[in-house]
Amino acid sequence: MPTPHLETVKMDELDCWRIRHNGAEVLVAQQGAHVFSYQPADAKPVIWPNDKAVFKQGKGIRTGVPVCWPWFGVFERNPQSVKAMRQSDQPAGAHGFARTAIWTLVGVQDNRVELALIAPAGGFPGWPHQVDLNMSLLLDEQLHIRLTSHNRGTDTVTISQALHSYFAVSDVRNVQVEGLDGLDYIDTADGWATKKQSGLLHFTAETDRIYLDTPAQLNIVDKDWQRRIQLTSEGSKSTVIWNPWTERAKAFDDMADDGWQGMLCIETANVLDDAVVLAPGASHTMGVSIANLPV
Ligand SMILES: O=P(O)(O)OC[C@H]1O[C@@H](O)[C@H](O)[C@@H](O)[C@@H]1O
């Protein structure tokens, strides 16, 4: 049963919950187990407040932390081992089906909420595997998000996935990302060319990159807002960094034309060679802890 820390709220068509702890607040939609707001006590929002986001059944929410699973991004760009898991003649939606599935609330304990997406008998439509998902949200001085995939079936299953987090920034042109220096990345906005990061990452154009062998800790340094968003990941060695910039932003009906300026996606991921292989009975947890710290 919900404790006083959890309250139900409705956002247009979607049932959602508000979690509160020591002045901090998180909002999560039942559809997609989708965190769409994280407001630490006495601070600016950490999640991008997109006033054009839509809360409709069957449609992804363009902010917060969409759960990309069991494939990431454009299906055809996934490793063959991930693509082989799907059995369907229908077009495959970008980022998989978990982000628009209806999850179940399975536990509430003080400042922790657990949601689950249990595979039906025979698996999911077009993806016939017995892999259950559990999402744990823990709110203390940070927000801790943990996504566990558990293979209950008898076949080995390979997935790619991401916690596709949209962060609020003062202006993406003025922030930097620490922790990537020297890493190889795939520049998907430049024909999937492999490149090497030199120094801090800053933003001057559309950015859509997959960083490989990423460390457990990355920081968004935002001097104008005098803050650092510290991301500490587990179970992930790849990170997607995305900002649509001017032209691509205009093509989205759920983003203002200038919305790209105030957002930055840093996506804790298991993609490309970092895809997860789940033997029968095996589990894998990918997570991120999000802290709002002074610069
Ligand atoms: O519009 P969607 O499906 O939510 O995807 C948004 C973006 O998600 C990012 O993860 C991808 O790298 C981008 O290529 C993509 O455009």
Side-chain angles (χ1 to χ4, degrees):
M1 286 298 292
T3 71
H5 298 283
L6 189 79
E7 112 188 60
T8 55
V9 287
K10 190 93 177 173
M11 296 290 293
D12 194 2
E13 293 181 3
L14 303 186
D15 293 323
C16 307
W17 294 281
R18 175 181 282 121
I19 311 162
R20 288 199 172 101
H21 178 72
N22 284 349
E25 175 179 304
V26 166
L27 286 158
V28 56
Q30 181 178 23
Q31 177 173 287
H34 190 137
V35 170
F36 59 91
S37 173
Y38 171 34
Q39 173 71 64
D42 304 319
K44 289 189 163 58
V46 167
I47 295 294
W48 176 48
N50 176 13
D51 55 13
K52 297 267 189 192
V54 297
F55 295 83
K56 300 282 185 203
Q57 289 174 11
K59 181 158 171 54
I61 304 166
R62 189 170 304 286
T63 189
V65 188
V67 173
C68 305
W69 188 95
W71 59 86
F72 174 79
V74 174
F75 177 75
E76 288 71 24
R77 286 290 190 173
N78 280 264
Q80 186 51 40
S81 55
V82 172
K83 290 192 284 189
M85 297 293 109
R86 189 165 182 268
Q87 292 176 17
S88 175
D89 298 335
Q90 303 302 309
H95 294 316
F97 50 82
R99 67 172 168 166
T100 51
I102 299 301
W103 293 53
T104 307
L105 185 65
V106 292
V108 181
Q109 195 187 19
D110 298 328
N111 51 339
R112 184 195 296 272
V113 172
E114 294 205 11
L115 298 133
L117 182 62
I118 305 296
F124 297 93
W127 199 82
H129 309 286
Q130 294 294 127
V131 181
D132 293 343
L133 276 176
N134 181 278
M135 166 74 84
S136 158
L137 302 174
L138 173 65
L139 182 59
D140 51 25
E141 299 72 36
Q142 306 186 22
L143 172 61
H144 308 273
I145 304 176
R146 300 278 176 278
L147 180 69
T148 299
S149 304
H150 176 214
N151 184 3
R152 285 188 297 112
T154 52
D155 54 340
T156 294
V157 178
T158 305
I159 58 171
S160 59
Q161 58 179 352
L163 296 167
H164 186 314
S165 312
Y166 287 75
F167 294 104
V169 292
S170 58
D171 187 320
V172 71
R173 293 165 291 193
N174 297 334
V175 301
Q176 297 166 321
V177 181
E178 280 179 358
L180 302 166
D181 186 23
L183 298 185
D184 287 339
Y185 65 90
I186 313 292
D187 190 345
T188 72
D190 185 16
W192 289 67
T194 300
K195 302 181 180 176
K196 194 177 280 293
Q197 178 69 35
S198 174
L200 298 172
L201 171 62
H202 60 276
F203 300 88
T204 56
E206 179 187 347
T207 303
D208 197 352
R209 301 180 177 181
I210 301 170
Y211 282 85
L212 308 170
D213 287 319
T214 40
Q217 198 170 94
L218 299 174
N219 287 281
I220 303 173
V221 180
D222 192 337
K223 293 205 173 100
D224 287 357
W225 279 358
Q226 285 294 299
R227 79 166 177 194
R228 151 190 314 267
I229 299 176
Q230 178 188 277
L231 309 176
T232 308
S233 64
E234 72 172 79
S236 156
K237 296 293 280 178
S238 46
T239 302
V240 180
I241 301 196
W242 180 61
N243 181 285
W245 218 253
T246 51
E247 296 314 303
R248 288 200 61 203
K250 283 183 194 153
F252 292 124
D253 55 11
D254 54 359
M255 178 184 279
D257 286 357
D258 61 358
W260 60 275
Q261 295 174 16
M263 56 135 305
L264 176 61
C265 286
I266 301 202
E267 309 169 31
T268 303
N270 292 120
V271 297
L272 302 180
D273 288 351
D274 189 33
V276 173
V277 180
L278 288 171
S283 293
H284 174 84
T285 298
M286 174 182 71
V288 63
S289 296
I290 303 168
N292 179 62
L293 302 174
V295 167

